[in-house]
Amino acid sequence: MTNGGNTRAGWGMALVLAVAAGISGCATGDTPPPPSAAPPPAASPSTAASPSPATSPSASPQRAADPDEVLVSVNVSGGFAGVSNELRVHGDGRWTVRTGKGQDRTGRMTGAEVARLRASLEAPAYARVPVRPTGPTVFDGFQYVIAHDHRVVVAADGERPDALRRVFDALPRDARLTST
C-alpha cells in the first residue's frame, strides 16, 4: 500500500469512528458523547511533546525528604594514625559518623544545610569531578570515597577541585572525619 493509501485508510477510520460516536451520542439525547469520541485538539509542534504541568514529574520544585535515603556517604581512611571513618547523611538531615574505634557520633543538619549539600552534589561541576585521584600520592595523607546517587568519587589529600571542595564545605561541621 502506498503512503497515500495509508492516509486514506486513516481518514476513513476516523470518519467511521466519528459517525459511530455521533450515532451513539444521538441515541439517548441526554448524555454527551464520551471524551474519547471527541476529536483531540490540534497540537502545535511546540506543545505536542511537552507534558501538562499537572502530570509533569518536575512540577514540584523540592523533593520530599525520605528519611531512609542516604544522600551521601563519605569514607575517610589513611593518615599517620590510620583513620577509618564513615559519614552518612540522610535526606532528612540526620547524620552518623562511624569510627574505626567504635566511637559513633550523630547529629542533624538543618533544612537549609541539607539543601546546600544537595545542591553541591547535584551541581553540573560536581558531575565533572574525576572519579579517581589524578595527582601525586601524598604519603600519610587521607583518601576520601564519596558516594552519591550511584556515583562514587575517590579523592586524596592535595587534590580537591572547587566542586569537591564545595561538597566538603557543605558536610556537617561536627562530623570531624579525619579525627580518630
Side-chain angles (χ1 to χ4, degrees):
M1 196 181 265
T2 65
N3 197 13
N6 284 337
T7 305
R8 275 188 240 126
W11 282 107
M13 183 58 83
L15 180 62
V16 168
L17 289 174
V19 169
I23 292 172
S24 67
C26 294
T28 60
D30 297 338
T31 59
S36 62
S44 68
S46 64
T47 61
S50 63
S52 67
T55 60
S56 173
S58 61
S60 63
Q62 287 187 340
R63 218 185 300 187
D66 177 4
D68 295 327
E69 170 199 19
V70 175
L71 177 60
V72 67
S73 68
V74 180
N75 290 289
V76 178
S77 60
F80 183 73
V83 168
S84 178
N85 297 333
E86 177 190 25
L87 166 67
R88 284 189 180 205
V89 179
H90 293 267
D92 64 354
R94 289 177 297 121
W95 60 265
T96 302
V97 172
R98 293 194 184 342
T99 67
K101 295 185 178 184
Q103 300 167 347
D104 295 356
R105 295 185 302 275
T106 61
R108 181 173 292 277
M109 298 173 73
T110 67
E113 291 169 330
V114 172
R116 179 178 171 222
L117 176 59
R118 189 178 298 274
S120 65
L121 289 164
E122 294 175 356
Y126 181 70
R128 292 187 300 272
V129 170
V131 296
R132 295 278 177 242
T134 56
T137 301
V138 175
F139 296 103
D140 291 330
F142 292 106
Q143 182 178 37
Y144 307 90
V145 179
I146 303 99
H148 165 69
D149 197 26
H150 307 290
R151 181 171 187 254
V152 177
V153 171
V154 179
D157 275 346
E159 58 177 4
R160 285 198 193 170
D162 287 340
L164 186 57
R165 193 170 298 121
R166 283 190 288 275
V167 169
F168 275 89
D169 288 347
L171 292 173
R173 298 272 180 233
D174 297 335
R176 296 185 313 275
L177 290 170
T178 55
S179 64
T180 56

